[in-house]
Amino acid sequence: MRRWLEWVALLRPGDALTLVLALGVCALSAAMLWRGGAPDKVVVRAGGQVFAEAGLSRAQVIEVPGPLGITRIEIEPGRARVASDPGPRQYCVRQGWLTRSGAVAICAPNEVSLTLAGGASDYDSLNY
Amino acid sequence: MTPSTIEIVPTAEDGRIARLAAAAIVLSIAEAAIPLPLPGVKPGLANIVILIVLLRWGWRDAVWVALLRVFAGSLLLGQFFAPGFFLALAGSVTSLAVLGLAVHLPPRWFGPVTLSVLAAFAHIGGQLVLARVWLVPHDGVFYLVPVFALAATVFGLVNGLVAARLLRELPPLRESGAGASASTVSR
């Protein structure tokens, strides 16, 4: 403890100010540069057609009918997931919450997909 | 043997700058041996020497030591005229410019730690601008700015504290006696 205090004693009042400003620059630059990819909307497709589009600002549940039954999509501020799906393997449910723009959960057996859109998406299409 | 027609007599000042530059060069070479996760994130230990020179002998000597460090250090590391050399030079020149201004801050309030942090930020700033303009002409280089900024804060603080400690423990300058560092600063 004494040894730490010895180092702290080398700081002058303005140095603390400088350090606070420096940390502020770190936080600000991280917030500005790493915000990219924040989605603002959800697109739900069923059988290839857009079934619903919803904002990502308020919580709601969308029920989508498909050939196997009903897929429940749950939306919370800033994220969305497939809460339940009648498909046999449950891949889209196990994907969990989607948070990044461009993220997709596809429930192929029930022909339902959930896409987050808006913001700077990481990619907008893939080509083969 | 015919005596050389050109005779260079090193002054005491030359010798001092050479000694300090040698210390800075040794630190940058020792530092090059430390494995680091990201290119560009370095402790910048040589800056401790630059700070001490700045606060004890003034900005002109600090410029000499810093530039000698960049040139000789890159020669020894085989980096001379490689991209890394130009990045180091850009960082050094920018931080020397910032130090030249920051050294006029009231020394009662702003000590070596402030100078060190400002110099570290200027260092990454200069390097990033050169990298953006010349090496990676894409805004993607700025994606790592937060990491570089955090490294500059942490290493700036550590280097500044070490420099402050060494300045306190170094014997006072002979020419002007006690308070030499303060008088250099207030120039």
Side-chain angles (χ1 to χ4, degrees):
Chain A
M1 192 63 202
R2 285 261 325 274
R3 294 177 63 193
W4 283 105
L5 286 176
E6 220 172 282
W7 286 104
V8 173
L10 294 168
L11 285 171
R12 296 182 201 170
D15 293 341
L17 181 72
T18 309
L19 287 170
V20 169
L21 284 177
L23 287 174
V25 169
C26 297
L28 202 71
S29 61
M32 277 172 56
L33 293 161
W34 291 351
R35 189 195 41 191
D40 53 20
K41 136 182 131 154
V42 171
V43 180
V44 179
R45 288 189 178 82
Q49 306 298 314
V50 173
F51 176 83
E53 286 188 19
L56 255 183
S57 48
R58 63 184 186 87
Q60 58 173 314
V61 174
I62 300 176
E63 301 201 330
V64 191
L68 299 183
I70 287 189
T71 300
R72 280 179 61 246
I73 286 168
E74 192 177 349
I75 299 170
E76 278 190 5
R79 59 183 193 168
R81 69 168 175 175
V82 179
S84 71
D85 177 66
R89 282 170 291 273
Q90 301 285 305
Y91 289 139
C92 57
V93 179
R94 284 198 261 161
Q95 242 176 300
W97 290 104
L98 307 182
T99 55
R100 292 190 69 83
S101 187
V104 186
I106 300 170
C107 304
N110 207 27
E111 295 175 14
V112 172
S113 78
L114 162 67
T115 312
L116 300 195
S121 104
D122 290 343
Y123 49 86
D124 52 20
S125 67
L126 292 174
N127 288 301
Y128 292 92
Chain B
M1 207 174 83
T2 329
S4 168
T5 49
I6 305 167
E7 199 159 326
I8 298 171
V9 183
T11 61
E13 193 192 13
D14 294 338
R16 189 184 68 219
I17 287 176
R19 272 198 307 279
L20 291 162
I25 292 162
V26 166
L27 283 176
S28 27
I29 290 181
E31 180 176 276
I34 304 172
L36 290 157
L38 260 180
V41 176
K42 277 191 194 175
L45 297 175
N47 294 324
I48 297 171
V49 179
I50 313 292
L51 277 173
I52 292 173
V53 175
L54 176 76
L55 291 174
R56 253 171 101 86
W57 291 287
W59 187 71
R60 212 185 65 89
D61 286 19
V63 171
W64 268 112
V65 172
L67 294 183
L68 280 172
R69 199 274 298 179
V70 170
F71 279 86
S74 65
L75 272 173
L76 288 168
L77 289 168
Q79 288 271 323
F80 197 46
F81 286 135
F85 162 76
F86 291 105
L87 289 177
L89 188 61
S92 232
V93 167
T94 324
S95 82
L96 283 169
V98 167
L99 282 176
L101 297 173
V103 82
H104 297 296
L105 287 168
R108 211 180 106 64
W109 296 98
F110 297 96
V113 172
T114 291
L115 295 180
S116 177
V117 170
L118 290 178
F121 269 90
H123 224 103
I124 55 162
Q127 295 194 342
L128 274 172
V129 168
L130 183 68
R132 171 65 181 83
V133 169
W134 178 45
L135 291 175
V136 191
H138 182 263
D139 282 336
V141 283
F142 296 120
Y143 191 71
L144 286 175
V145 163
V147 178
F148 291 148
L150 190 65
T153 310
V154 172
F155 293 132
L157 170 64
V158 171
N159 290 348
L161 286 175
V162 172
R165 179 82 175 253
L166 288 173
L167 278 167
R168 203 184 56 186
E169 293 183 4
L170 279 170
L173 288 179
R174 251 165 293 148
E175 301 99 316
S176 40
S181 61
S183 70
T184 320
V185 170
S186 57
R187 252 186 327 140

